[in-house]
Every structure is written in structure tokens, then in C-alpha cells.
């Protein structure tokens, strides 16, 4: 009897021990699985979003249309593989930024041994590169006289790689080999805004496209100022740094680079004509200095002339009659031949005039400019919606493809920006 009961006790004990061991194993398996799926989620989040903040404060405000564009998203998806160039196994990703490193020989091949020059800027030459995959990118080869070391270059690439927005010319890769530093960007097939404003080989930019370009640029800068962490000041906003994509969407280029412009011996960085006078006197560059340059760019879109052609003198003369508000039609680009909406032109000019105020404090923030420009486009759409007469419809049917693609872009803007109510800056 005693032997029977001790056998029972041993049996129960063994059962309990096995049960406990199984429970522990089950618990461990569960925790391991949960951790794996958390890691998976966080890395995919890292690849598809960028930390956001509003007004420099850590808050949850998400800017209206910040996103990774398709090209850069693909490079993130294909982490660790040679997606752009196909073939080479050497490419790898800079930690946490999703930016690919490419071997020199691949870029050499894609640029036909650096003969496919698109242009030359302060930082060096830019080449068009045709990849083995059929993709096209732009390769900026930084001048070798740059004082930047390897460590600084990699830091810069990591920072640039974190900036993603549909209105920025996003960085997708880099190369640091054979003493060369190269930055690889999304290719902007329609070239720069300055070529569209001043090169006669391009069609005249319509008024509605000019307003849309202004809004695109404002959104890109708003992201750099208020969305990026840490925030970024551009330091060289001007039409040659605004590039246009296949559908004439505008994107801000040349942001986030350490400025070592050898053309300016005075240590003043930026381009004369666009430079905030306050920065020239104080040598302190702020977000409001970018706002000043943006104001000059707005006037350039309105008047179709640049600072070297007396733009600002022209504006100041007109401002005497307008008190900053109405009557700006006299500065309108004569090539538009009156084909613009007077109200829109006055609203945009009044905004531009506020941006170039001598006092930085009185200039609007970029988010205010986004609201004003969104409102201009929104009002236009509402006017069209409610006041369409049969003759309007006939005109609309006769409009060019570009105009109709513009309209669909306007619809996109409205759906993205439901908060663009009227704002007085
Ligand atoms: N991603 C790109 N896609 C297409 N063209 C580009 C791209 N990046 C630059 N370019 C072209 O290359 C040329 C040189 O550009 P870069 O930005 O180096 O200098 P810049 O803006 O002309 O002058 P600066 O250096 O004084 O700002 C410009 O004509 C520009 O239009």
C-alpha cells in the first residue's frame, strides 16, 4: 500500500515537473515570437517613415504629405542587395538610413566613364547614370578639393538618408572609393526651374503651374524646417536648386550639404540676390533666411525675371503703389500675356513681400506659406466647381494634357491638405 502511494506521489511529481517544464518552454517560445515580430515591425516602420515633429517640439503632428518616394522606398526594401546597379555584391546599407553604398566601378560603368555630364555646381559635376536595371539616377561627384574627411562624409550621408519627402530630391545612394565622394540622387527628368523660367527651348510655364511649383517648394522647405529631426536649413534656395520631375512636380535639391562654396571668398554662403540681408550683416543664418530666399523665388515665378535682371528693384518700385497688398499685376511676367488670375497673383505677391521683409521676425514661417498657397489653389478649385458655365467646359476640354494633369495634382493637394484654411500672414 505504502509502495503504491509512493509510486503515485512520484508519478504526480514527474507529471508536475514535466508540466512546468512544458509551460516554461511554451512561455519562452511565445516571448521569442513576440520579440521577433516587434523587431520586424520597427524595422519596417524605420524604412517607411521618418521621425516628425512640429514647431521644434516633440509632438505627434504629422506634416501633410511627407513620404518616401517610390525610388528610395525600393532601395530600402532591397536592403543589403545591389538593387540599383544589379550584379555587384559589394553594396551595403548605411545603418538606419536605408542608403546604399555602391562600388566605384559600377558608377563608372553607369556614367559611361563619367562622360554623361548633366551640369556643374559649386560642389562638383553631376552625371546622368543609366543603371543595369534600366533605372536612371543623378550622380554628384563632390569636388576633391573638399576638406571633408571620410567620417564627416559618412555622417552627412547618414543625415541626408533620413530626409525623405515627395518635394525633396531624395538621396538614394553614395560611393566613397578611390579618394572620391559621390552622392546618388533620384533623377529629375524635367531639369531645373531656372531652365524652365529662362531657357526658351522650354514651353512657357503657365500661371497655374507656377503656383503649384511654389506650393511644392514650400512643402519641401516646411518639411526641412519643421518635419526633419534634427531640422535642416537649406541655405541656398534659388530656381537652379528646384528640380522638376516627370509630371512637373517640383522638388528642393542640394539640401543638407556642408557648404564649402569656393566661389565666395568672403565666407558668406549662398547665392547673392537670394541672400537674407540680415544674414549678411549678422552672419547668423536661420530658417527665416530660407524664408527670405523663398520670397525672392516667389517673386521670380511671378515676374519671370531674376535678381541679376533687377527683380528686387522692380518689386520695391511696385510695392510703393501696392502697400504690399493689391496692384501687383504690373510686375507680372509679360510673357504670360495677362493669362493669370489677378486675385491669385496679388495673394502670392503679398505673401512674397512678407517673406522678404527686412525684419526676420516679421517673415512668415514656411508652414504659413504652405497654408496661404494651398488656400490659393483650393479657392481656385472651388471657383471652378461652383461657377462652371458651358463655355468654361468647352475651354477645359480644349486644354493641354499638362493642364489636365495639373488639375489632378490640385485635387491631390486638396485631399492631402484638409486644414488649408485661409490664413493672414
Ligand atoms: N537629381 C538630379 N536630376 C537631374 N538633374 C540634376 C540633378 N541634380 C542636379 N542636376 C542638374 O545638375 C546641374 C548641377 O547641379 P548642382 O546642384 O550641382 O549645381 P547648381 O544648383 O546648378 O549650382 P549651385 O551648386 O551653385 O547650387 C544642374 O543643372 C541641375 O539641373
Amino acid at each position: 500500500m505504502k509502495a503504491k502511494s509512493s509510486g503515485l506521489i512520484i508519478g504526480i511529481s514527474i507529471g508536475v515537473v514535466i508540466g512546468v517544464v512544458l509551460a516554461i518552454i511554451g512561455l519562452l517560445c511565445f516571448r521569442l515570437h513576440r520579440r521577433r515580430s516587434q523587431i520586424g515591425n520597427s524595422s519596417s516602420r524605420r524604412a517607411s517613415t521618418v521621425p516628425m515633429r512640429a514647431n521644434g517640439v516633440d509632438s505627434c503632428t504629422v506634416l501633410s504629405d511627407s513620404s518616401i518616394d517610390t525610388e528610395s522606398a525600393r532601395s530600402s526594401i532591397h536592403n543589403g542587395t545591389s538593387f540599383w546597379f544589379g550584379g555587384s555584391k559589394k553594396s551595403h546599407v548605411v545603418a538606419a538610413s536605408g542608403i546604399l553604398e555602391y562600388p566605384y566601378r559600377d558608377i563608372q560603368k553607369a556614367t559611361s566613364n563619367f562622360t554623361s555630364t548633366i551640369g556643374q555646381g559649386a560642389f562638383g559635376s553631376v552625371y546622368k547614370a543609366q543603371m543595369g536595371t534600366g533605372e536612371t539616377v543623378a550622380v554628384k561627384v563632390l569636388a576633391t578639393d573638399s576638406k571633408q574627411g571620410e567620417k564627416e562624409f559618412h555622417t552627412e550621408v547618414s543625415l541626408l538618408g533620413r530626409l525623405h519627402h515627395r518635394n525633396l530630391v531624395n538621396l538614394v545612394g553614395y560611393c566613397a572609393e578611390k579618394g572620391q565622394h559621390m552622392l546618388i540622387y533620384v533623377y529629375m527628368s524635367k531639369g531645373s526651374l531656372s531652365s524652365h523660367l529662362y531657357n526658351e527651348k522650354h514651353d512657357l510655364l503657365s500661371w497655374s503651374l507656377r503656383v503649384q511649383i511654389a506650393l511644392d517648394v514650400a512643402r519641401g522647405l516646411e518639411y526641412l524646417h519643421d518635419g526633419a529631426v534634427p531640422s535642416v536649413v537649406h541655405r541656398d534656395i534659388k530656381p537652379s536648386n528646384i528640380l522638376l520631375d516627370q509630371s512637373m512636380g517640383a522638388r528642393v535639391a542640394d539640401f543638407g550639404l556642408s557648404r564649402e562654396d569656393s566661389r565666395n571668398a568672403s565666407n558668406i554662403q549662398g547665392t547673392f540676390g537670394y541672400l537674407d540681408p540680415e544674414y549678411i550683416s549678422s552672419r547668423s543664418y536661420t530658417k527665416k533666411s530660407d524664408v527670405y530666399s523663398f520670397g525672392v523665388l516667389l517673386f521670380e515665378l511671378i515676374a519671370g525675371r531674376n535678381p541679376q535682371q533687377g527683380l528686387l528693384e522692380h518689386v520695391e518700385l511696385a510695392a510703393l503703389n501696392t502697400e504690399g497688398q493689391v496692384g501687383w499685376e504690373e510686375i507680372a511676367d509679360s510673357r504670360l500675356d495677362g493669362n493669370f488670375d489677378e486675385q491669385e497673383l496679388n495673394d502670392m505677391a503679398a505673401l512674397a513681400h512678407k517673406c522678404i521683409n527686412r525684419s526676420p521676425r516679421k517673415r512668415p514661417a514656411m508652414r504659413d506659406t504652405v497654408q496661404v498657397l494651398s488656400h490659393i489653389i483650393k479657392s481656385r478649385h472651388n471657383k471652378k466647381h461652383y461657377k462652371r458655365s458651358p463655355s468654361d467646359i468647352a475651354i477645359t476640354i480644349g486644354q493641354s494634357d499638362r493642364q489636365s494633369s495639373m488639375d489632378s495634382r490640385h485635387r491631390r493637394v486638396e485631399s492631402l491638405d484638409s486644414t488649408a484654411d485661409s490664413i493672414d500672414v
Side-chain angles (χ1 to χ4, degrees):
M1 179 70 193
K2 199 175 174 192
K4 210 173 172 186
S5 65
S6 57
L8 190 66
I9 290 169
I10 291 170
I12 290 171
S13 306
I14 290 173
V16 168
V17 169
I18 291 173
V20 168
V21 168
L22 284 176
I24 290 172
I25 290 172
L27 192 70
L28 284 175
C29 285
F30 173 72
R31 291 185 64 175
L32 191 68
H33 174 76
R34 216 173 55 167
R35 180 171 297 184
R36 276 205 185 140
S37 62
Q38 271 172 356
I39 291 169
N41 285 343
S42 69
S43 60
S44 62
R45 257 202 311 275
R46 212 168 33 231
S48 62
T49 62
V50 178
M52 295 286 175
R53 68 177 180 192
N55 311 334
V57 189
D58 285 329
S59 80
C60 295
T61 306
V62 174
L63 297 184
S64 49
D65 61 348
S66 168
S67 68
I68 292 181
D69 59 352
T70 49
E71 292 93 336
S72 51
R74 257 177 277 161
S75 70
S76 297
I77 290 163
H78 291 256
N79 271 0
T81 63
S82 180
F83 176 73
W84 287 95
F85 294 87
S88 172
K89 297 276 179 286
K90 193 180 172 247
S91 325
H92 64 267
V93 179
V94 173
S97 68
I99 297 300
L100 295 171
E101 179 183 5
Y102 290 101
Y104 182 88
R105 65 173 183 284
D106 285 356
I107 298 179
Q108 191 176 28
K109 191 172 167 206
T111 57
S112 309
N113 200 17
F114 299 99
T115 56
S116 55
T117 315
I118 311 172
Q120 174 79 34
F123 296 101
S125 301
V126 182
Y127 302 90
K128 183 174 177 178
Q130 198 65 52
M131 305 310 155
T133 55
E135 306 272 350
T136 308
V137 292
V139 177
K140 187 172 278 193
V141 181
L142 303 183
T144 43
D145 58 358
S146 161
K147 293 185 200 76
Q148 194 178 43
E150 287 301 314
K151 199 167 158 225
E152 289 87 348
F153 178 69
H154 281 91
T155 307
E156 190 161 292
V157 167
S158 292
L159 283 172
L160 286 176
R162 288 170 185 272
L163 303 172
H164 291 285
H165 190 273
R166 74 177 64 201
N167 299 118
L168 295 183
V169 179
N170 295 321
L171 184 75
V172 294
Y174 75 100
C175 169
E177 243 185 82
K178 297 193 194 296
Q180 299 262 26
H181 290 162
M182 303 179 202
L183 297 170
I184 301 163
Y185 290 97
V186 171
Y187 180 70
M188 296 287 107
S189 59
K190 298 285 183 184
S192 70
L193 173 59
S194 62
S195 69
H196 282 268
L197 280 174
Y198 305 114
N199 190 330
E200 296 199 340
K201 79 172 195 245
H202 291 295
D203 290 345
L204 181 73
L205 287 177
S206 68
W207 172 252
S208 57
L209 193 46
R210 292 180 199 216
V211 182
Q212 184 60 49
I213 288 170
L215 176 59
D216 286 346
V217 176
R219 285 186 191 281
L221 270 176
E222 180 200 24
Y223 169 76
L224 290 177
H225 287 186
D226 296 340
V229 181
S231 63
V232 173
V233 283
H234 188 286
R235 292 180 161 263
D236 203 10
I237 286 295
K238 58 182 176 180
S240 70
N241 280 337
I242 306 304
L243 302 181
L244 300 162
D245 64 23
Q246 190 54 34
S247 57
M248 294 299 281
R251 301 191 190 200
V252 177
D254 260 6
F255 51 86
L257 297 175
S258 337
R259 304 270 158 192
E260 281 183 33
D261 191 340
S262 52
R263 294 169 306 186
N264 287 336
S266 59
N267 219 5
I268 287 181
Q269 297 159 349
T271 304
F272 285 104
Y274 300 87
L275 273 178
D276 173 11
E278 181 64 23
Y279 161 63
I280 297 176
S281 56
S282 70
R283 298 292 162 99
S284 151
Y285 198 98
T286 66
K287 290 178 186 175
K288 292 295 180 83
S289 310
D290 277 351
V291 173
Y292 180 93
S293 311
F294 176 70
V296 177
L297 185 125
L298 286 183
F299 273 126
E300 209 164 331
L301 283 165
I302 294 168
R305 65 162 85 181
N306 60 41
Q308 288 70 41
Q309 297 167 324
L311 172 69
L312 291 179
E313 294 76 358
H314 194 44
V315 164
E316 288 314 327
L317 268 181
L320 295 176
N321 304 325
T322 62
E323 290 167 3
Q325 293 300 323
V326 288
W328 286 103
E329 303 83 353
E330 67 172 276
I331 66 161
D333 188 343
S334 57
R335 293 169 298 172
L336 285 170
D337 203 18
N339 284 318
F340 54 84
D341 181 298
E342 275 186 25
Q343 178 71 49
E344 290 184 12
L345 187 134
N346 276 301
D347 289 349
M348 191 154 122
L351 174 67
H353 198 240
K354 292 195 160 127
C355 291
I356 63 164
N357 196 302
R358 287 291 299 211
S359 164
R361 276 188 308 112
K362 291 189 180 157
R363 297 174 200 155
M366 282 316 301
R367 65 181 163 277
D368 301 325
T369 69
V370 168
Q371 291 216 348
V372 172
L373 293 163
S374 301
H375 184 68
I376 291 175
I377 290 175
K378 193 172 184 174
S379 311
R380 178 195 305 163
H381 184 70
N382 289 344
K383 269 189 251 165
K384 263 193 190 164
H385 190 72
Y386 293 112
K387 293 188 191 161
R388 263 162 83 98
S389 65
S391 60
D392 286 337
I393 294 166
I395 291 166
T396 309
I397 290 166
Q399 278 173 338
S400 68
D401 287 354
R402 195 169 67 181
Q403 186 59 48
S404 59
S405 82
M406 273 297 305
D407 287 344
S408 66
R409 280 162 55 73
H410 294 164
R411 280 193 293 278
R412 169 177 68 79
V413 167
E414 281 162 34
S415 66
L416 286 167
D417 193 353
S418 56
T419 58
D421 293 329
S422 176
I423 143 164
D424 266 349
V425 288

